[in-house]
Amino acid sequence: MTVDASNALLRWYDAHKRRLPWRAAGETPDPYRVWLSEIMLQQTTVAAVRPYFEKFVTLWPTVAALADADEAEVMAAWAGLGYYARARNLIACARQVAKLGAFPDDEDGLRALPGIGRYTAAAIAAIAFGRRAVVVDGNVERIVARLFAVEQPLPGARAALYDLAATITPEHRNGDFAQAMMDLGATICTPRNPACGLCPLSDRCAARLRNAQADFPVKAAKAAKPRRQGVAYWLQHEDHVLLVRRPARGMLGGMLALPSAAWADAARETGDADDRAHAIGNAPAAAQWCEAGSVDHVFTHFALTMRLLCARAERRPDRDVGERLSGDGEIWWPAERIGEAGLPSLFAKLAQRGLAWQDGLSGKAA
């Protein structure tokens, strides 16, 4: 792409850029808002991020405020956004930046912070600080793969796509160019049915010249995700339900959740009676446990089917019983306010089944 082409893209951006709450409108970009939005947007859509971003900047309007926040409150505010390691890194990064006094203004300094990799460092450096940086996310990979008709399949083509993106990155308006590429990929050069007639780069696009836009980027065949299975427990005493805080490290680390047994490979073959005995044997208390159905949930590397067992407890179990649970702290939460607990999506879906069981809408003796 020539400099004239980048100018054409920037003219298009000036006329058609998306209005997003983290973008500065005629103001100097705020590194905190840029960083927060980029962390939230990792593997997450703009539509999903928007209300979370607005909630965070209302609760914690500066990086110093976030650094001083209670970790449990931050994790609860993040609940439902997924990829919870990002939230833990968010807190760690805010605290490190608070110690430094400000965000570093170059890629090397930014990459030294928790949770910031090459793409995020480049995006912050370009958008917040005007640095020339090669900003390559999934949208940019798709644009570049089509512009140059890159035949090598992803993910192996990533290094080549990065190098090609470097050749088209201009020396001026660095933040605007990075955001223009993001917007072009999100609104015009989309994965399916790209609107090539509206694209400012269509006359330079090798894939379009071949009438082969749909063939790029080339992707290697995906392996099927393994499936795991698990059991969660809705244990109710009077009008409260037992929650645990999951260990800081691991899946959904640091989040409040229903107690659960270990998630096993679904290929394990046992009979129904053995499964029930195993599930009840790992329950948080001896009780008359009832089946309340199951939910399916997909994580990055595997799919999970989680059954729910429900029971009422005559008394709250002793602490030594609770130590068997998948978590390191117990909380008895008002069942009618379970929506305020900040449960991750998997456990929020299970909690809805628990409430339905409580209301007598489902369940049978295990």
Side-chain angles (χ1 to χ4, degrees):
M1 187 193 296
T2 65
V3 172
D4 287 343
S6 64
N7 285 337
L9 179 61
L10 288 167
R11 285 194 297 272
W12 171 85
Y13 177 72
D14 289 340
H16 301 288
K17 62 186 171 186
R18 292 177 292 175
R19 300 294 186 259
L20 301 172
W22 44 85
R23 286 187 175 170
E27 305 171 0
T28 302
D30 180 353
Y32 170 63
R33 295 170 73 92
V34 174
W35 161 74
L36 180 62
S37 67
E38 288 298 335
I39 298 299
M40 288 184 166
L41 286 164
Q42 292 171 2
Q43 302 188 51
T44 310
T45 65
V46 166
V49 164
R50 189 187 296 265
Y52 283 88
F53 177 85
E54 292 172 342
K55 174 170 60 176
F56 265 69
V57 296
T58 298
L59 292 171
W60 304 291
T62 65
V63 70
L66 183 59
D68 289 338
D70 179 78
E71 185 166 336
E73 292 181 3
V74 175
M75 298 299 291
W78 188 278
L81 197 54
Y83 302 97
Y84 293 95
R86 293 181 300 167
R88 297 192 294 274
N89 284 328
L90 190 81
I91 299 164
C93 184
R95 290 172 179 170
Q96 191 164 328
V97 170
K99 289 180 181 178
L100 294 172
F103 280 92
D105 64 1
D106 60 15
E107 289 181 79
D108 288 342
L110 289 162
R111 290 189 70 174
L113 297 172
I116 296 183
R118 180 166 75 170
Y119 161 75
T120 305
I124 297 170
I127 299 168
F129 299 108
R131 298 275 190 174
R132 184 187 183 277
V134 181
V135 183
V136 182
D137 67 353
N139 284 324
V140 176
E141 285 181 345
R142 183 168 58 257
I143 294 168
V144 173
R146 287 172 174 166
L147 276 173
F148 295 95
V150 176
E151 301 283 355
Q152 184 182 4
L154 285 168
R158 289 214 161 102
L161 292 173
Y162 181 89
D163 291 342
L164 289 169
T167 69
I168 66 174
T169 301
E171 298 290 341
H172 66 293
R173 294 188 65 183
N174 303 289
D176 285 344
F177 180 79
Q179 292 175 108
M181 290 288 279
M182 295 174 192
D183 283 11
L184 188 71
T187 63
I188 301 294
C189 194
T190 52
R192 296 179 182 83
N193 302 315
C196 299
L198 301 176
C199 179
L201 307 181
S202 61
D203 60 343
R204 297 163 176 82
C205 180
R208 186 180 187 231
L209 293 174
R210 297 184 191 180
N211 195 30
Q213 303 93 310
D215 297 336
F216 296 95
V218 180
K219 295 184 179 180
K222 289 185 178 181
K225 289 190 178 189
R227 178 165 289 278
R228 298 180 187 175
Q229 57 190 8
V231 181
Y233 304 93
W234 176 278
L235 181 62
Q236 191 162 334
H237 176 256
E238 297 178 348
D239 57 353
H240 285 65
V241 62
L242 179 63
L243 300 180
V244 296
R245 188 168 299 283
R246 295 180 62 82
R249 294 185 179 275
M251 296 296 297
L252 310 179
M255 303 296 293
L256 281 179
L258 297 175
S260 64
W263 303 350
D265 189 335
R268 180 177 65 90
E269 294 186 4
T270 60
D272 290 345
D274 289 339
D275 282 343
R276 279 197 297 272
H278 183 267
I280 293 174
N282 284 280
Q288 185 67 28
W289 290 96
C290 296
E291 294 275 1
S294 64
V295 301
D296 293 320
H297 193 80
V298 178
F299 292 98
T300 305
H301 301 298
F302 66 92
L304 175 70
T305 296
M306 185 78 92
R307 293 164 55 204
L308 182 67
L309 296 184
C310 300
R312 293 189 182 276
E314 295 298 324
R315 61 182 181 84
R316 296 185 180 183
D318 297 331
R319 185 66 185 95
D320 59 347
V321 175
E323 287 171 354
R324 294 184 297 166
L325 305 179
S326 178
D328 59 0
E330 299 174 11
I331 297 173
W332 287 92
W333 194 277
E336 65 179 13
R337 292 175 46 215
I338 195 68
E340 302 172 22
L343 301 181
S345 297
L346 167 63
F347 288 99
K349 290 187 285 186
L350 288 162
Q352 290 305 306
R353 286 194 171 273
L355 290 171
W357 170 83
Q358 172 190 273
D359 294 338
L361 299 179
S362 64
K364 62 182 180 179

